[in-house]
Amino acid sequence: MNLPNKLTVLRILLVPFLIFFLLTDVVPFSYIFAMLIFIAASLTDLFDGRYARKHNMITDFGKFADPLADKILVISAYCCFVDMGIISCVPVIIILFREFAVTSVRLVAASKGKVVAANIWGKAKTVSQIVVVILVILLLIVSKIINNEAVSSVFYIIDNAAVWISVLFTVFSGVIYLKDNSDIYTTMK
């Protein structure tokens, strides 16, 4: 297994720690640890792709596992936000629907011997989701420090607006992806 693929696997392995620190109230500064873990995991996405392209280490495993690792990381954080009462489950359901649709097309393509890599819109979607998770965790940290109900209410509105903006990116990228790869699922028998 090459270095980019190891970084992808590391991103997946960091997810349980992210979930723990987001959902625990036993560990002091748990949101700060969650933020650091999420940023570290997100940076592995940046580095694995750049390194793989620079050193010609792009593999079928990486093309499949890299976007899967992104989905696991981001959706885990969003599910934690639902559990914490920060966002509704509706945006998460929409995101999951998009991810299942795109993954289904990838699986059908793989069964035909074709690997479909992420496009620029999928990358923009991932960046928007990563920015939103960082923003929500940052606002959690500030809210905990300030401990003011009015500030928390404003942060709740900001969190939800940001999440819905990422949902728009998610839906748009999914529509583009399905349109660009329509030959894969329209020829299914």
Side-chain angles (χ1 to χ4, degrees), residues 128-165:
S128 76
Q129 291 173 343
I130 287 170
V131 168
V132 167
V133 172
I134 291 170
L135 174 69
V136 170
I137 297 173
L138 181 62
L139 293 179
L140 281 168
I141 293 167
V142 173
S143 184
K144 193 159 188 133
I145 292 168
I146 294 175
N147 197 20
N148 179 297
E149 190 68 33
V151 171
S152 294
S153 296
V154 170
F155 287 173
Y156 178 82
I157 293 167
I158 293 169
D159 289 341
N160 278 273
V163 166
W164 280 104
I165 290 169

Side-chain angles (χ1 to χ4, degrees), residues 158-180:
I158 293 169
D159 289 341
N160 278 273
V163 166
W164 280 104
I165 290 169
S166 77
V167 168
L168 290 175
F169 272 99
T170 301
V171 169
F172 182 75
S173 70
V175 168
I176 297 293
Y177 187 90
L178 293 174
K179 181 184 151 295
D180 288 350

Side-chain angles (χ1 to χ4, degrees), residues 106-121:
R106 278 200 172 114
L107 291 173
V108 170
S111 73
K112 296 178 178 187
K114 182 178 176 186
V115 175
V116 183
N119 62 24
I120 189 70
W121 294 108

Side-chain angles (χ1 to χ4, degrees), residues 7-185:
L7 289 172
T8 297
V9 171
L10 174 62
R11 187 159 60 257
I12 295 169
L13 294 175
L14 287 173
V15 169
F17 297 99
L18 171 69
I19 294 168
F20 172 76
F21 286 114
L22 279 175
L23 298 181
T24 190
D25 57 357
V26 181
V27 178
F29 312 110
S30 62
Y31 294 150
I32 293 172
F33 290 123
M35 171 79 84
L36 294 173
I37 289 167
F38 187 82
I39 289 172
S42 298
L43 288 175
T44 66
D45 184 34
L46 177 68
F47 293 132
D48 69 1
R50 284 188 180 172
Y51 191 87
R53 285 185 295 278
K54 183 178 180 181
H55 297 283
N56 198 24
M57 299 176 110
I58 296 171
T59 64
D60 287 346
F61 174 82
K63 287 179 188 177
F64 181 77
D66 182 63
L68 184 63
D70 297 340
K71 291 169 183 47
I72 293 168
L73 177 66
V74 170
I75 290 172
S76 295
Y78 276 46
C79 286
C80 287
F81 298 156
V82 170
D83 187 65
M84 298 162 75
I86 296 170
I87 63 172
S88 137
C89 66
V90 174
V92 178
I93 292 167
I94 294 169
I95 290 169
L96 283 169
F97 180 82
R98 183 266 187 206
E99 300 303 354
F100 283 133
V102 168
T103 300
S104 297
V105 171
R106 278 200 172 114
L107 291 173
V108 170
S111 73
K112 296 178 178 187
K114 182 178 176 186
V115 175
V116 183
N119 62 24
I120 189 70
W121 294 108
K123 293 174 195 235
K125 176 259 319 176
T126 300
V127 169
S128 76
Q129 291 173 343
I130 287 170
V131 168
V132 167
V133 172
I134 291 170
L135 174 69
V136 170
I137 297 173
L138 181 62
L139 293 179
L140 281 168
I141 293 167
V142 173
S143 184
K144 193 159 188 133
I145 292 168
I146 294 175
N147 197 20
N148 179 297
E149 190 68 33
V151 171
S152 294
S153 296
V154 170
F155 287 173
Y156 178 82
I157 293 167
I158 293 169
D159 289 341
N160 278 273
V163 166
W164 280 104
I165 290 169
S166 77
V167 168
L168 290 175
F169 272 99
T170 301
V171 169
F172 182 75
S173 70
V175 168
I176 297 293
Y177 187 90
L178 293 174
K179 181 184 151 295
D180 288 350
N181 295 288
S182 63
D183 60 311
I184 292 169
Y185 58 87

